[in-house]
Amino acid sequence: MHGTRGGYGEHEELARRFEEQRDRLRAVAHRLLGSASEAEDAVQEAWLRLGRVDGSQVENLPAWLRTVVSRICLDLLRSRVARREELVGQQPPDQPWEDGAGQAADPEQEALLVESVGRALLVVLDRLGPAERVAFVLHDMFAVPFEQIAPIVERTPVATKKLASRARHRVHGVPVRPAGELAGHRRVVEAFLAASRGGDLAGLLAVLAPDVVRRADPAALPAGVALQSRGARAVAAETLVFGRRARWAAPALVDGAVGVVVAPGGRLVLALAVTVVGERIAAYEVIADPARLARLELAVLGD
């Protein structure tokens, strides 16, 4: 590490202390960015920046490194927003499911991230503003005091607390059903996803109403597939054909009701708005149009 004062022994000691923090720094960056590769890059950049300062003058190395990684991630999040704004109004490229579009570059890292954070939460975090996401993740997931977060997001501690509160409200959403009814609907949707993943025709027929209706945006279907399908057997058979999507699916609040997000690598590509009547699915709509997806109110389901 060039530029560090002191001899080789001091350099080795600083490197050792950095390695002790690497896993935690990676965890912070993972949750801030939702990307394994970008998280690794952010941690590596923090190591390079440490090489440009006098390590002996850093009183609290873990806090210093966390702050540096968080600022790097904040800059990356802001650049994402700028890129999205540049793409507004442009037609997104056609990405059929069959070519594996949207899969994470490292499936093992994606699995670890999804397991530790949750697929639905990754989708919702991706919808927060950069400063909101940093404030929420650092405080609610890593218990960092607002006084330490405030300089990172360039706000006062009071304003930073409001950022996190606003983010928390968006993450949890506003259900339109009572808690008991919501829990029942969740069980139905989870049974539907389990049967879809397992190729279980009997399980699908058990959870679909006899006259169930499936609607879908054109972007969600291969060419030639009808935009609407009716009847439990037709919908179940169709679901089995496209069931591979279910491995990237998770229950979530979709416009206040229990639905599904489909998010390879934590990136939203489809949402299902589900209508549950009694203990069966009466209808569901597959939403894939980017403009429609952007208008959805998505939130995580509580335990």
Side-chain angles (χ1 to χ4, degrees), residues 246-296:
R247 61 178 163 165
W248 296 310
L253 276 182
V254 178
D255 285 341
V258 179
V260 175
V261 291
V262 182
R267 300 284 189 246
L268 180 68
V269 292
L270 295 176
L272 273 63
V274 182
T275 301
V276 177
V277 177
E279 296 184 356
R280 292 192 170 188
I281 293 175
Y284 70 88
E285 183 176 14
V286 186
I287 301 167
D289 177 74
R292 294 190 67 200
L293 287 173
R295 289 194 297 268
L296 292 175

Side-chain angles (χ1 to χ4, degrees), residues 155-227:
R155 306 285 208 287
T156 66
V158 171
T160 303
K161 186 176 182 178
K162 289 180 179 178
L163 274 179
S165 177
R166 187 162 65 236
R168 195 176 304 115
H169 180 76
R170 294 183 63 186
V171 165
H172 295 293
V174 181
V176 297
R177 304 281 185 181
E181 189 175 346
L182 208 67
H185 289 188
R186 179 175 185 165
R187 287 193 293 270
V188 172
V189 169
E190 287 178 338
F192 171 75
L193 290 178
S196 300
R197 293 187 188 106
D200 180 1
L201 178 60
L204 285 171
L205 291 174
V207 80
L208 295 173
D211 57 349
V212 61
V213 177
R214 187 277 302 153
R215 299 180 179 86
D217 287 340
L221 301 171
V225 177
L227 299 183

Side-chain angles (χ1 to χ4, degrees), residues 4-65:
T4 304
R5 298 175 189 174
Y8 181 77
E10 183 178 335
H11 166 79
E12 288 295 296
E13 173 62 15
L14 197 58
R16 183 192 64 78
R17 293 174 64 198
F18 178 86
E19 288 303 319
E20 287 178 348
Q21 299 299 317
R22 183 182 287 276
D23 286 347
R24 186 168 179 82
L25 295 174
R26 187 188 293 118
V28 170
H30 253 156
R31 287 153 181 75
L32 287 175
L33 298 171
S35 164
S37 60
E38 287 186 329
E40 290 290 350
D41 290 345
V43 172
Q44 184 61 25
E45 175 62 24
W47 163 250
L48 294 175
R49 293 189 185 185
L50 182 59
R52 303 184 195 119
V53 302
D54 182 356
S56 65
Q57 299 301 309
V58 178
E59 294 184 4
N60 187 335
L61 184 62
W64 187 91
L65 288 169

